[in-house]
Amino acid sequence: DGCPNKEYCRQTFIQMWSRYHRPGSEEAVSPDPYALKPRSLPTVIPEPERLIAIGDLHGDYSKAMRALRVAGLIDTNGDWNAGKTVAVQVGDILDRGDSELRLLITLERLQRQAAAAGGRFHLLNGNHEVMNAFGDHRYGTVGSNVDIMAWQLWRDFNTLMKMKSGCRLSSSAAASSLAAGGRPVPFAQAATPTTKAKDISSNTGDVTKDEYFEEYDEADPIARRKAAISSAWSTHNYRFYNGYSRPFSWIRSVAYEPGGPIARRFFANRQIVLQVGSTVFAHGGLHPEHVATGLEKINAETQDWLLGNGEGGSNLLAAAKSRFASAANPSSAASSKSSHHQQQQQRPATTPPPEYLRSREAVVWARTYSSEKQAHCDCERLQRTLQMLPNAKRMVVGHTIQRTGVNTACDGKVVRVDVGLSKGCTDGNVEVLEVLAGGTVRKLQENLPPVELENGEGKRVRGVAMKETAVKGMGK
């Protein structure tokens, strides 16, 4: 109403909106790009002429872009430039760095561009995506949290502008960003904890769910989440303290929870495990019991959990509507505290992820094949796992930082691609894996020649002298 030239404001908003969403994509014309749009997740795809694997990125945008350039996937403008190449990023885009949202949006755009060019860019979920979806934000940075807050304000602004322009809002958009009365509700109003956390840093024992609710207001959704973490993960008290000591960590819970806007748009449409021809990908590692469970089942059930379709997640929309209605009618909300607490107790906390995402042996947590000491790698279990998967010759994993860069173990049957790339980790050298038709397996390095690796068929590493030359070149 304060705009002196409404037509100019309308045109400016349209231009801003279209540029932000990169015209030509499905999301560019969607009334809400964060609406519920589950996609079928392929588990096995054919062998491509060229396959690229990229390790953990952990919120470091500049290093991620350098890795994509080393892989030959993008041009100088940051657009897909690899034709029919198939690329797989093994997960852990979140945490330890400030550029989580920028990476999520950029990689999603590259996925669309790759598909349009006849290629594919698959993004897997790692243990840090699972942790954040379940409310464990220990490794989220203040910078990334501020980004998430700004993102929500941007969404509120877009929603308000669409309403002012007479656009019809989807129910998910209204439920996630508007209060009754047609005004955006910022996170600070919608989900700020109602009770201050006490200082529990001096405690030594675990806090049970009941004890936690005795100390904190049961109407606090963040208290509910932390209690759920304690119950499901047997977490130590310092995690609770850490959740309150890190500014804006509670904002992550609202955005990343199963059924939340970021979980729906980004995480729910990613696999946990993927087989590309003869190469199997998993963030931590696959075991025979995982294969026996069924790879399609693992992907489908994880997607269902991230969409909020579990016992707890199914109530997210109703909970949001109830919270916003209370904000609009504070007198009615405060009319009966005991009744309100009773309703909160009946609402289950966030549903834990499936078991194969939670234990030390989980697909996203396992380190069975990742030790830099060959004697500590369970090559026999790896061999049994690969034999259970048709045509599988090798497994590619991330999760565990390799100080020597991309390398192989178990006669090339496992390739470890987590090089600690992010500055929030070890600021490792930029390296990616390349698998070519015909069986050639090599690591690509920034400003250094490729190094051929064992290919999973007992082929010896070729060119030891070339490796030594590359190491010398790094020291210059």
Side-chain angles (χ1 to χ4, degrees), residues 81-136:
N81 191 41
K84 297 182 179 180
T85 295
V86 173
V88 180
Q89 195 279 324
V90 298
D92 276 10
I93 292 171
L94 300 185
D95 290 337
R96 303 186 189 276
D98 293 344
S99 301
E100 294 175 343
L101 284 180
R102 189 178 183 189
L103 271 174
L104 290 172
I105 292 171
T106 298
L107 295 177
E108 182 191 61
R109 171 175 58 81
L110 289 173
Q111 282 186 299
R112 295 195 298 266
Q113 292 179 346
R120 287 291 184 272
F121 193 2
H122 295 278
L123 307 172
L124 304 188
N125 283 318
N127 63 301
H128 281 263
E129 281 74 41
V130 173
M131 289 167 64
N132 275 273
F134 196 55
D136 188 341

Side-chain angles (χ1 to χ4, degrees), residues 432-471:
V432 300
L433 176 70
E434 181 185 54
V435 180
L436 301 175
T440 299
V441 179
R442 58 183 189 171
K443 69 175 176 181
L444 307 181
Q445 309 169 94
E446 195 173 45
N447 302 321
L448 291 169
V451 175
E452 188 171 348
L453 305 174
E454 294 171 294
N455 68 355
E457 297 180 309
K459 186 173 181 179
R460 295 172 63 85
V461 175
R462 191 177 68 189
V464 175
M466 186 167 97
K467 257 190 177 179
E468 293 173 349
T469 301
V471 172

Side-chain angles (χ1 to χ4, degrees), residues 238-464:
Y238 78 88
R239 294 197 186 180
F240 294 109
Y241 178 74
N242 192 45
Y244 277 92
S245 65
R246 285 188 178 274
F248 310 119
S249 278
W250 53 272
I251 296 178
R252 300 175 73 91
S253 290
V254 179
Y256 287 167
E257 67 182 345
I262 289 180
R264 286 198 308 263
R265 175 169 175 174
F266 297 108
F267 307 149
N269 288 310
R270 297 179 181 177
Q271 297 97 328
I272 291 293
V273 59
L274 176 67
Q275 181 173 350
V276 183
S278 58
T279 305
V280 181
F281 292 88
H283 181 71
L286 274 178
H287 296 161
E289 52 269 31
H290 301 144
V291 180
T293 298
L295 304 189
E296 293 84 359
K297 180 180 179 181
I298 289 175
N299 283 337
E301 289 184 352
T302 302
Q303 182 184 54
D304 199 50
W305 171 64
L306 289 167
L307 288 172
N309 294 334
E311 183 183 352
S314 61
N315 289 323
L316 286 171
L317 186 60
K321 288 180 177 178
S322 173
R323 185 168 67 241
F324 296 146
S326 298
N329 300 283
S331 58
S332 62
S335 60
S336 175
K337 186 175 180 180
S338 59
S339 174
H340 181 66
H341 284 185
Q342 203 170 28
Q343 291 174 4
Q344 290 293 329
Q345 287 174 334
Q346 292 172 357
R347 188 177 67 195
T350 300
T351 307
E355 181 62 32
Y356 43 75
L357 298 181
R358 282 190 283 152
S359 69
R360 292 183 62 183
E361 300 285 293
V363 181
V364 296
W365 284 100
R367 302 185 193 272
T368 317
Y369 318 126
S370 299
S371 174
E372 292 183 292
K373 294 183 178 180
Q374 288 271 352
H376 295 169
C377 292
D378 194 341
C379 297
E380 188 274 332
R381 186 191 284 191
L382 173 63
Q383 178 66 27
R384 285 191 288 117
T385 304
L386 292 175
Q387 287 175 346
M388 295 173 70
L389 298 167
N391 306 316
K393 296 179 181 177
R394 70 188 68 84
M395 189 180 298
V396 175
V397 298
H399 186 45
T400 303
I401 295 174
Q402 305 294 312
R403 293 170 296 177
T404 59
V406 174
N407 65 79
T408 64
C410 303
D411 298 322
K413 289 183 172 60
V414 62
V415 188
R416 291 85 69 91
V417 296
D418 181 4
V419 297
L421 185 76
S422 171
K423 293 182 179 67
C425 295
T426 62
D427 198 15
N429 294 321
V430 178
E431 298 181 1
V432 300
L433 176 70
E434 181 185 54
V435 180
L436 301 175
T440 299
V441 179
R442 58 183 189 171
K443 69 175 176 181
L444 307 181
Q445 309 169 94
E446 195 173 45
N447 302 321
L448 291 169
V451 175
E452 188 171 348
L453 305 174
E454 294 171 294
N455 68 355
E457 297 180 309
K459 186 173 181 179
R460 295 172 63 85
V461 175
R462 191 177 68 189
V464 175

Side-chain angles (χ1 to χ4, degrees), residues 46-68:
E47 190 94 52
E49 288 294 312
R50 183 172 183 259
L51 174 64
I52 291 290
I54 301 170
D56 305 29
L57 299 178
H58 282 302
D60 194 326
Y61 180 84
S62 61
K63 294 289 289 289
M65 294 302 103
R66 285 164 60 184
L68 294 171

Side-chain angles (χ1 to χ4, degrees), residues 69 151-152 199 219 276 295 313 444:
R69 283 192 287 271
W151 162 82
Q152 177 61 22
D199 184 358
V276 183
L295 304 189
L444 307 181

